[in-house]
Amino acid sequence: MNALKNVPVHVSIIMDGNGRWARERGLERAAGHIEGVESVRACTEAAVEYGVKYLSLYAFSEENWGRPQEEVNALMALMFKSMMAELSNFMDNGIRFVVLGHRERLGDELNSVINDCMEKTKENKTLTLVIFLSYSGKWDILQAAKKFAGEILAHPDRSAELLSMDTDGFDRYLVTDGIPDPDLIIRTSGEMRMSNYLLWQAAYSELLFSDVLWPDFRKQEFLSALQLYSKRDRRYGKVK
Ligand code: IPE
Ligand code: IPE
Ligand code: MG
């Protein structure tokens, strides 16, 4: 096996650079997204091999709905096709598949294949693969606050107890309820921003920025990221 130390429980990736990868080759942007699926496969395999328990991937942001309709359609079609194709692989490798985000904005067809993959893989234990689709961090915090307010309105007798909630208590209103916060967030393609990703959950994540474009980010790059992470000193505001 491997001699990796301090393997992160949850690795999260902002998969960026597909368009630039395609442009460098004189191809349509969609070609970069298609090649990016191979990187998803490679990193998922690597996560299983190195004992990462949660791999989450930012696949489509709420802001990405503002891209040209043709690109949005190509991305949604690619998600649909990939999920259909990967189900047997998830079952063979013990992968629990989860999609989180503003699901109402996805089409019925895509939602039904997502539901099918989530239901069939829900007992799998080796790796949880989370795809953030139509997700944004601010949207997540807002929907959590609305759920919380709704609970107070529905149970006025419990309002004092509900209002005494701490930050751990708030976690359960976020769409990531039950999933540990990411230990490591990687962003590819050299961009150094969060782009409205896991704003609450990233409070103490280690951040790693790689210049490699997502379609070129494969097993070796994933392993290098884990090696860099293993040297980080996480202090959580305390003195060691
Ligand atoms: C990431 O690659 C994929 C999505 C955001 C859906 P981009 O499509 O953002 O690629 P660049 O940043 O234009 O190169
Ligand atoms: C962030 O990438 C969203 C995803 C990777 C899904 P973008 O390419 O959309 O982000 P910006 O526009 O460069 O911030
Ligand atoms: Mg981008």
Side-chain angles (χ1 to χ4, degrees):
M1 270 291 276
N2 58 85
L4 267 176
K5 284 189 303 189
N6 305 324
V7 175
V9 173
H10 181 175
V11 175
S12 193
I13 309 180
I14 302 175
M15 308 183 288
D16 200 8
N18 296 352
R20 278 161 281 170
W21 184 93
R23 195 176 57 213
E24 280 176 3
R25 288 161 179 77
L27 303 170
E28 297 289 322
R29 291 176 59 81
H33 300 316
I34 291 167
E35 192 62 23
V37 175
E38 295 306 316
S39 297
V40 171
R41 206 170 280 130
C43 289
T44 306
E45 270 175 36
V48 169
E49 182 174 338
Y50 299 125
V52 170
K53 297 306 289 180
Y54 295 83
L55 174 66
S56 62
L57 305 171
Y58 198 14
F60 194 86
S61 70
E62 283 279 75
E63 290 76 14
N64 288 152
W65 289 112
R67 291 191 178 196
Q69 196 58 44
E70 192 189 347
E71 181 168 355
V72 171
N73 292 346
L75 277 163
M76 293 301 148
L78 186 59
M79 309 275 179
F80 182 82
K81 190 168 155 238
S82 307
M83 288 175 203
M84 294 282 275
E86 292 304 313
L87 180 59
S88 62
N89 171 31
F90 296 154
M91 295 312 291
D92 291 347
N93 292 291
I95 297 168
R96 174 166 74 117
F97 180 75
V98 176
V99 170
L100 298 178
H102 197 172
R103 293 272 310 268
E104 292 79 5
R105 295 190 77 178
L106 307 174
D108 289 346
E109 219 181 18
L110 183 55
N111 267 322
S112 101
V113 66
I114 291 170
N115 287 340
D116 190 47
C117 283
M118 286 178 61
E119 180 60 28
K120 290 194 169 123
T121 64
K122 71 179 182 198
E123 303 295 343
N124 290 346
K125 298 274 187 288
T126 307
L127 172 78
T128 296
L129 174 64
V130 183
I131 306 293
F132 284 96
L133 248 187
S134 193
Y135 180 85
S136 91
K138 286 191 178 185
W139 166 81
D140 193 5
I141 294 167
L142 182 62
Q143 68 79 34
K146 287 177 182 172
K147 262 194 250 166
F148 179 57
E151 209 165 301
I152 294 174
L153 289 172
H155 305 282
D157 51 314
R158 289 180 50 214
S159 63
E161 175 207 332
L162 285 163
L163 283 166
S164 69
M165 181 180 68
D166 60 8
T167 55
D168 285 346
F170 193 71
D171 281 345
R172 74 183 175 89
Y173 296 96
L174 296 162
V175 294
T176 47
D177 178 31
I179 295 169
D181 288 344
D183 298 294
L184 172 64
I185 297 180
I186 302 166
R187 183 169 185 149
T188 61
S189 86
E191 306 296 351
M192 294 187 216
R193 55 178 168 266
M194 291 300 280
S195 298
N196 210 351
Y197 194 36
L198 299 167
L199 300 180
W200 171 282
Q201 298 88 337
Y204 259 105
S205 303
E206 292 295 324
L207 307 179
L208 201 152
F209 299 99
S210 163
D211 286 334
V212 175
L213 304 175
W214 176 246
D216 291 327
F217 196 95
R218 299 289 164 93
K219 185 177 177 182
Q220 191 51 48
E221 287 71 26
F222 191 85
L223 176 60
S224 302
L226 295 191
Q227 285 165 336
L228 287 169
Y229 172 85
S230 74
K231 298 191 189 84
R232 297 282 178 96
D233 180 16
R234 301 182 77 185
R235 292 187 289 276
Y236 301 97
K238 303 190 175 65
V239 177
K240 266 195 179 165

